[in-house]
Amino acid sequence: MSEAENTVCNAWCDTKCPDEVHGTSDPGACISPARLAARESTANIFGKVHTRDSVKRLRGTNALEKEGNKTAQGCMWRQTSDCRANGPREPESDRGCDEVVEPKQSGYCECYDEDGSTRKAYEADCRGNAPFTCKVACSGLCEWHQTAGCDPAGDREPDNDRPCEARIPAGISGYCQCGEDNQHTHGTFCEKHQEPFSCLEACSALLIVEDDSDL
């Protein structure tokens, strides 16, 4: 369960199950509905990402690796501390290319290209609000497309497009374009109170699954 979900879960128990908090009722009667409420409260950030407490990973190879996509041959999440991408390394918390990195972490995506070179595609400093994978960051198939008229379906403004990892502020319109099939997600309408987000998070949410039955 992510930090955001855990906060909602605890608040639910405090308000909906005070007897359980004071040890006067069966804890099992509260745990399941509290977890459900927590997941429902955070699912609308980018759609359904959390469905249960299992290991999450990226959808199968068809999601990003169609024939001809040679942008990155592999990648790794390199974890750091102190909420600094260049902070002290925490190698025990590194993750594989298609493993999900939960929000509020610091580190960077290390991409291994076909020509043998290595590059950083994303540097995180604990500001993210949703899970992501380095496979999306390294693929080159994720981008913010800006539009005019406070309408995500409005005329394109390609000069204002932003890369996958860029934080998208409130007050602009557009959408995230993801994958080889150019799926559109997280369209915005210039909402003034919108939380900043990245297309890395939004596109990862389209592709994150939890077991083979979801493929």
Short mmCIF file of all heavy atoms in Angstrom, two decimals, residues 162-208:
data_model
loop_
_atom_site.label_atom_id
_atom_site.label_comp_id
_atom_site.label_asym_id
_atom_site.label_seq_id
_atom_site.Cartn_x
_atom_site.Cartn_y
_atom_site.Cartn_z
N ARG A 162 6.22 18.86 -23.99
CA ARG A 162 7.21 18.63 -22.93
C ARG A 162 7.58 17.15 -22.88
O ARG A 162 6.77 16.29 -23.23
CB ARG A 162 6.66 19.09 -21.57
CG ARG A 162 6.20 20.54 -21.58
CD ARG A 162 5.82 21.04 -20.22
NE ARG A 162 5.22 22.37 -20.30
CZ ARG A 162 5.25 23.26 -19.33
NH1 ARG A 162 5.87 22.97 -18.20
NH2 ARG A 162 4.67 24.43 -19.48
N PRO A 163 8.79 16.86 -22.43
CA PRO A 163 9.22 15.46 -22.38
C PRO A 163 8.47 14.66 -21.31
O PRO A 163 7.80 15.23 -20.43
CB PRO A 163 10.71 15.55 -22.05
CG PRO A 163 10.88 16.89 -21.40
CD PRO A 163 9.86 17.79 -22.03
N CYS A 164 8.61 13.36 -21.39
CA CYS A 164 7.90 12.42 -20.54
C CYS A 164 8.00 12.75 -19.06
O CYS A 164 7.02 12.69 -18.32
CB CYS A 164 8.45 11.02 -20.82
SG CYS A 164 7.60 9.66 -20.01
N GLU A 165 9.20 13.09 -18.60
CA GLU A 165 9.43 13.25 -17.17
C GLU A 165 9.10 14.64 -16.64
O GLU A 165 9.12 14.88 -15.43
CB GLU A 165 10.89 12.93 -16.84
CG GLU A 165 11.90 13.93 -17.37
CD GLU A 165 12.34 13.65 -18.80
OE1 GLU A 165 11.71 12.80 -19.47
OE2 GLU A 165 13.30 14.29 -19.26
N ALA A 166 8.77 15.60 -17.52
CA ALA A 166 8.52 16.98 -17.09
C ALA A 166 7.28 17.07 -16.21
O ALA A 166 6.28 16.38 -16.44
CB ALA A 166 8.35 17.89 -18.31
N ARG A 167 7.33 17.93 -15.19
CA ARG A 167 6.17 18.18 -14.35
C ARG A 167 5.23 19.13 -15.09
O ARG A 167 5.64 20.20 -15.53
CB ARG A 167 6.57 18.80 -13.01
CG ARG A 167 7.57 18.01 -12.20
CD ARG A 167 7.10 16.65 -11.82
NE ARG A 167 5.95 16.64 -10.93
CZ ARG A 167 5.31 15.53 -10.54
NH1 ARG A 167 5.70 14.35 -11.00
NH2 ARG A 167 4.29 15.60 -9.72
N ILE A 168 3.97 18.73 -15.25
CA ILE A 168 2.99 19.54 -15.96
C ILE A 168 2.23 20.40 -14.94
O ILE A 168 1.56 19.86 -14.05
CB ILE A 168 2.00 18.65 -16.74
CG1 ILE A 168 2.76 17.68 -17.64
CG2 ILE A 168 1.04 19.52 -17.55
CD1 ILE A 168 3.70 18.31 -18.63
N PRO A 169 2.32 21.72 -15.04
CA PRO A 169 1.69 22.59 -14.04
C PRO A 169 0.20 22.80 -14.32
O PRO A 169 -0.31 22.43 -15.39
CB PRO A 169 2.47 23.90 -14.22
CG PRO A 169 2.79 23.93 -15.69
CD PRO A 169 3.07 22.49 -16.06
N ALA A 170 -0.46 23.42 -13.37
CA ALA A 170 -1.86 23.80 -13.57
C ALA A 170 -1.94 24.94 -14.57
O ALA A 170 -0.97 25.66 -14.82
CB ALA A 170 -2.47 24.21 -12.23
N GLY A 171 -3.12 25.12 -15.18
CA GLY A 171 -3.37 26.27 -16.02
C GLY A 171 -3.09 26.10 -17.49
O GLY A 171 -3.16 27.07 -18.25
N ILE A 172 -2.75 24.88 -17.94
CA ILE A 172 -2.54 24.64 -19.37
C ILE A 172 -3.39 23.45 -19.80
O ILE A 172 -3.85 22.67 -18.98
CB ILE A 172 -1.06 24.38 -19.71
CG1 ILE A 172 -0.53 23.14 -18.99
CG2 ILE A 172 -0.21 25.60 -19.36
CD1 ILE A 172 0.90 22.79 -19.34
N SER A 173 -3.60 23.33 -21.11
CA SER A 173 -4.40 22.22 -21.62
C SER A 173 -3.56 21.35 -22.53
O SER A 173 -2.58 21.79 -23.14
CB SER A 173 -5.63 22.74 -22.39
OG SER A 173 -5.26 23.48 -23.53
N GLY A 174 -3.95 20.09 -22.61
CA GLY A 174 -3.24 19.13 -23.45
C GLY A 174 -3.49 17.73 -22.96
O GLY A 174 -4.44 17.46 -22.23
N TYR A 175 -2.59 16.81 -23.32
CA TYR A 175 -2.76 15.41 -22.94
C TYR A 175 -1.42 14.70 -23.03
O TYR A 175 -0.47 15.17 -23.66
CB TYR A 175 -3.77 14.72 -23.87
CG TYR A 175 -3.42 14.81 -25.34
CD1 TYR A 175 -2.58 13.87 -25.96
CD2 TYR A 175 -3.90 15.86 -26.12
CE1 TYR A 175 -2.24 13.96 -27.30
CE2 TYR A 175 -3.56 15.97 -27.46
CZ TYR A 175 -2.74 15.01 -28.05
OH TYR A 175 -2.40 15.11 -29.38
N CYS A 176 -1.35 13.55 -22.40
CA CYS A 176 -0.18 12.69 -22.49
C CYS A 176 -0.39 11.68 -23.61
O CYS A 176 -1.45 11.06 -23.70
CB CYS A 176 0.06 11.94 -21.18
SG CYS A 176 0.46 13.02 -19.78
N GLN A 177 0.61 11.54 -24.48
CA GLN A 177 0.57 10.52 -25.54
C GLN A 177 1.53 9.40 -25.16
O GLN A 177 2.69 9.65 -24.86
CB GLN A 177 0.95 11.12 -26.88
CG GLN A 177 0.91 10.10 -28.03
CD GLN A 177 0.94 10.77 -29.38
OE1 GLN A 177 -0.02 11.43 -29.80
NE2 GLN A 177 2.04 10.61 -30.08
N CYS A 178 1.01 8.15 -25.19
CA CYS A 178 1.76 7.03 -24.64
C CYS A 178 1.83 5.86 -25.62
O CYS A 178 0.83 5.53 -26.27
CB CYS A 178 1.08 6.51 -23.37
SG CYS A 178 0.52 7.78 -22.20
N GLY A 179 3.01 5.24 -25.70
CA GLY A 179 3.17 3.99 -26.41
C GLY A 179 3.18 4.12 -27.92
O GLY A 179 2.92 5.16 -28.50
N GLU A 180 3.50 2.98 -28.56
CA GLU A 180 3.57 2.95 -30.03
C GLU A 180 2.22 3.18 -30.67
O GLU A 180 2.14 3.65 -31.80
CB GLU A 180 4.13 1.59 -30.48
CG GLU A 180 5.58 1.36 -30.08
CD GLU A 180 6.49 1.27 -31.28
OE1 GLU A 180 5.99 1.34 -32.41
OE2 GLU A 180 7.70 1.15 -31.08
N ASP A 181 1.13 2.85 -29.94
CA ASP A 181 -0.19 3.05 -30.50
C ASP A 181 -0.76 4.42 -30.16
O ASP A 181 -1.94 4.69 -30.40
CB ASP A 181 -1.14 1.94 -30.05
CG ASP A 181 -1.13 1.73 -28.55
OD1 ASP A 181 -0.35 2.42 -27.87
OD2 ASP A 181 -1.90 0.88 -28.07
N ASN A 182 0.07 5.30 -29.59
CA ASN A 182 -0.29 6.70 -29.36
C ASN A 182 -1.58 6.87 -28.56
O ASN A 182 -2.45 7.66 -28.91
CB ASN A 182 -0.40 7.45 -30.69
CG ASN A 182 0.92 7.51 -31.43
OD1 ASN A 182 1.98 7.55 -30.82
ND2 ASN A 182 0.85 7.50 -32.75
N GLN A 183 -1.70 6.14 -27.48
CA GLN A 183 -2.85 6.32 -26.60
C GLN A 183 -2.79 7.69 -25.94
O GLN A 183 -1.71 8.17 -25.58
CB GLN A 183 -2.87 5.24 -25.52
CG GLN A 183 -3.05 3.84 -26.02
CD GLN A 183 -3.13 2.86 -24.86
OE1 GLN A 183 -4.08 2.87 -24.07
NE2 GLN A 183 -2.14 2.00 -24.75
N HIS A 184 -3.95 8.31 -25.77
CA HIS A 184 -4.04 9.60 -25.10
C HIS A 184 -4.62 9.40 -23.71
O HIS A 184 -5.58 8.65 -23.53
CB HIS A 184 -4.93 10.57 -25.88
CG HIS A 184 -4.37 10.95 -27.21
ND1 HIS A 184 -5.03 11.79 -28.09
CD2 HIS A 184 -3.20 10.61 -27.84
CE1 HIS A 184 -4.30 11.93 -29.18
NE2 HIS A 184 -3.20 11.24 -29.04
N THR A 185 -4.04 10.07 -22.72
CA THR A 185 -4.55 9.97 -21.36
C THR A 185 -4.31 11.27 -20.62
O THR A 185 -3.50 12.09 -21.02
CB THR A 185 -3.89 8.79 -20.61
OG1 THR A 185 -4.54 8.61 -19.35
CG2 THR A 185 -2.42 9.05 -20.36
N HIS A 186 -5.03 11.44 -19.54
CA HIS A 186 -4.89 12.59 -18.63
C HIS A 186 -4.98 13.93 -19.34
O HIS A 186 -4.12 14.81 -19.19
CB HIS A 186 -3.58 12.49 -17.85
CG HIS A 186 -3.69 13.07 -16.46
ND1 HIS A 186 -4.52 12.54 -15.51
CD2 HIS A 186 -3.11 14.14 -15.90
CE1 HIS A 186 -4.43 13.26 -14.40
NE2 HIS A 186 -3.58 14.25 -14.62
N GLY A 187 -6.05 14.11 -20.12
CA GLY A 187 -6.29 15.40 -20.75
C GLY A 187 -6.64 16.45 -19.72
O GLY A 187 -7.37 16.18 -18.75
N THR A 188 -6.13 17.67 -19.90
CA THR A 188 -6.39 18.74 -18.93
C THR A 188 -7.04 19.93 -19.62
O THR A 188 -6.87 20.17 -20.81
CB THR A 188 -5.08 19.20 -18.26
OG1 THR A 188 -4.20 19.74 -19.26
CG2 THR A 188 -4.39 18.04 -17.58
N PHE A 189 -7.79 20.72 -18.82
CA PHE A 189 -8.59 21.83 -19.33
C PHE A 189 -8.21 23.16 -18.66
O PHE A 189 -9.06 24.00 -18.41
CB PHE A 189 -10.08 21.57 -19.07
CG PHE A 189 -10.63 20.39 -19.81
CD1 PHE A 189 -10.49 19.10 -19.30
CD2 PHE A 189 -11.30 20.56 -21.02
CE1 PHE A 189 -11.02 18.01 -19.99
CE2 PHE A 189 -11.83 19.47 -21.70
CZ PHE A 189 -11.68 18.19 -21.19
N CYS A 190 -6.96 23.36 -18.34
CA CYS A 190 -6.49 24.60 -17.69
C CYS A 190 -7.01 24.75 -16.26
O CYS A 190 -7.17 25.88 -15.78
CB CYS A 190 -6.90 25.85 -18.49
SG CYS A 190 -6.27 25.92 -20.17
N GLU A 191 -7.28 23.63 -15.59
CA GLU A 191 -7.76 23.70 -14.22
C GLU A 191 -6.72 24.39 -13.34
O GLU A 191 -5.55 24.02 -13.31
CB GLU A 191 -8.04 22.30 -13.66
CG GLU A 191 -9.12 21.55 -14.42
CD GLU A 191 -8.52 20.61 -15.46
OE1 GLU A 191 -7.45 20.95 -16.03
OE2 GLU A 191 -9.14 19.57 -15.72
N LYS A 192 -7.15 25.43 -12.61
CA LYS A 192 -6.22 26.21 -11.81
C LYS A 192 -5.69 25.44 -10.60
O LYS A 192 -4.60 25.73 -10.10
CB LYS A 192 -6.88 27.51 -11.36
CG LYS A 192 -7.19 28.47 -12.49
CD LYS A 192 -7.81 29.76 -11.96
CE LYS A 192 -8.10 30.74 -13.09
NZ LYS A 192 -8.73 32.00 -12.59
N HIS A 193 -6.49 24.50 -10.10
CA HIS A 193 -6.10 23.81 -8.87
C HIS A 193 -5.59 22.39 -9.13
O HIS A 193 -5.49 21.59 -8.21
CB HIS A 193 -7.30 23.76 -7.91
CG HIS A 193 -7.84 25.12 -7.57
ND1 HIS A 193 -7.12 26.05 -6.85
CD2 HIS A 193 -9.02 25.71 -7.87
CE1 HIS A 193 -7.83 27.15 -6.71
NE2 HIS A 193 -8.99 26.96 -7.32
N GLN A 194 -5.25 22.12 -10.35
CA GLN A 194 -4.76 20.79 -10.69
C GLN A 194 -3.39 20.54 -10.08
O GLN A 194 -2.51 21.39 -10.12
CB GLN A 194 -4.65 20.65 -12.21
CG GLN A 194 -4.02 19.35 -12.67
CD GLN A 194 -3.88 19.34 -14.18
OE1 GLN A 194 -4.83 19.08 -14.89
NE2 GLN A 194 -2.68 19.65 -14.65
N GLU A 195 -3.21 19.36 -9.50
CA GLU A 195 -1.90 18.98 -8.95
C GLU A 195 -0.92 18.74 -10.10
O GLU A 195 -1.27 18.12 -11.10
CB GLU A 195 -2.04 17.72 -8.11
CG GLU A 195 -2.75 17.92 -6.79
CD GLU A 195 -1.92 18.74 -5.80
OE1 GLU A 195 -0.68 18.65 -5.84
OE2 GLU A 195 -2.53 19.51 -5.03
N PRO A 196 0.31 19.23 -9.98
CA PRO A 196 1.31 18.93 -11.01
C PRO A 196 1.48 17.42 -11.17
O PRO A 196 1.36 16.66 -10.20
CB PRO A 196 2.58 19.58 -10.47
CG PRO A 196 2.09 20.65 -9.54
CD PRO A 196 0.85 20.09 -8.91
N PHE A 197 1.76 16.98 -12.38
CA PHE A 197 1.95 15.56 -12.66
C PHE A 197 2.94 15.43 -13.80
O PHE A 197 3.33 16.40 -14.43
CB PHE A 197 0.62 14.90 -13.03
CG PHE A 197 0.04 15.38 -14.34
CD1 PHE A 197 0.29 14.70 -15.52
CD2 PHE A 197 -0.73 16.53 -14.39
CE1 PHE A 197 -0.23 15.15 -16.73
CE2 PHE A 197 -1.25 16.99 -15.59
CZ PHE A 197 -1.01 16.30 -16.77
N SER A 198 3.34 14.21 -14.10
CA SER A 198 4.18 13.96 -15.25
C SER A 198 3.52 12.91 -16.13
O SER A 198 2.77 12.06 -15.65
CB SER A 198 5.58 13.47 -14.83
OG SER A 198 5.51 12.13 -14.36
N CYS A 199 3.80 12.97 -17.43
CA CYS A 199 3.27 11.96 -18.34
C CYS A 199 3.92 10.60 -18.07
O CYS A 199 3.34 9.57 -18.41
CB CYS A 199 3.48 12.38 -19.79
SG CYS A 199 2.37 13.71 -20.32
N LEU A 200 5.09 10.59 -17.46
CA LEU A 200 5.69 9.32 -17.05
C LEU A 200 4.74 8.59 -16.11
O LEU A 200 4.49 7.38 -16.25
CB LEU A 200 7.03 9.58 -16.38
CG LEU A 200 7.70 8.38 -15.70
CD1 LEU A 200 7.92 7.26 -16.70
CD2 LEU A 200 9.01 8.80 -15.06
N GLU A 201 4.19 9.30 -15.13
CA GLU A 201 3.25 8.70 -14.19
C GLU A 201 1.96 8.29 -14.89
O GLU A 201 1.42 7.20 -14.68
CB GLU A 201 2.95 9.68 -13.05
CG GLU A 201 4.16 10.04 -12.21
CD GLU A 201 3.93 11.27 -11.33
OE1 GLU A 201 3.08 12.10 -11.66
OE2 GLU A 201 4.62 11.38 -10.32
N ALA A 202 1.43 9.20 -15.73
CA ALA A 202 0.16 8.95 -16.40
C ALA A 202 0.26 7.78 -17.37
O ALA A 202 -0.64 6.93 -17.43
CB ALA A 202 -0.32 10.21 -17.12
N CYS A 203 1.34 7.71 -18.16
CA CYS A 203 1.49 6.63 -19.12
C CYS A 203 1.78 5.31 -18.42
O CYS A 203 1.33 4.24 -18.87
CB CYS A 203 2.60 6.95 -20.12
SG CYS A 203 2.17 8.28 -21.29
N SER A 204 2.54 5.34 -17.34
CA SER A 204 2.78 4.11 -16.58
C SER A 204 1.47 3.54 -16.07
O SER A 204 1.27 2.32 -16.05
CB SER A 204 3.73 4.39 -15.41
OG SER A 204 5.04 4.67 -15.85
N ALA A 205 0.54 4.41 -15.64
CA ALA A 205 -0.73 3.95 -15.10
C ALA A 205 -1.55 3.19 -16.14
O ALA A 205 -2.35 2.32 -15.79
CB ALA A 205 -1.54 5.12 -14.56
N LEU A 206 -1.35 3.50 -17.43
CA LEU A 206 -2.06 2.77 -18.48
C LEU A 206 -1.55 1.35 -18.61
O LEU A 206 -2.27 0.46 -19.09
CB LEU A 206 -1.87 3.47 -19.83
CG LEU A 206 -2.64 4.76 -20.11
CD1 LEU A 206 -2.27 5.26 -21.49
CD2 LEU A 206 -4.13 4.54 -20.00
N LEU A 207 -0.31 1.12 -18.19
CA LEU A 207 0.36 -0.13 -18.52
C LEU A 207 0.68 -1.01 -17.32
O LEU A 207 1.09 -2.15 -17.49
CB LEU A 207 1.67 0.18 -19.26
CG LEU A 207 1.51 1.02 -20.54
CD1 LEU A 207 2.87 1.46 -21.05
CD2 LEU A 207 0.78 0.23 -21.60
N ILE A 208 0.49 -0.49 -16.11
CA ILE A 208 0.82 -1.27 -14.93
C ILE A 208 -0.23 -2.35 -14.70
O ILE A 208 -1.43 -2.08 -14.71
CB ILE A 208 0.93 -0.37 -13.68
CG1 ILE A 208 2.17 0.53 -13.79
CG2 ILE A 208 0.99 -1.22 -12.41
CD1 ILE A 208 2.28 1.55 -12.71
#
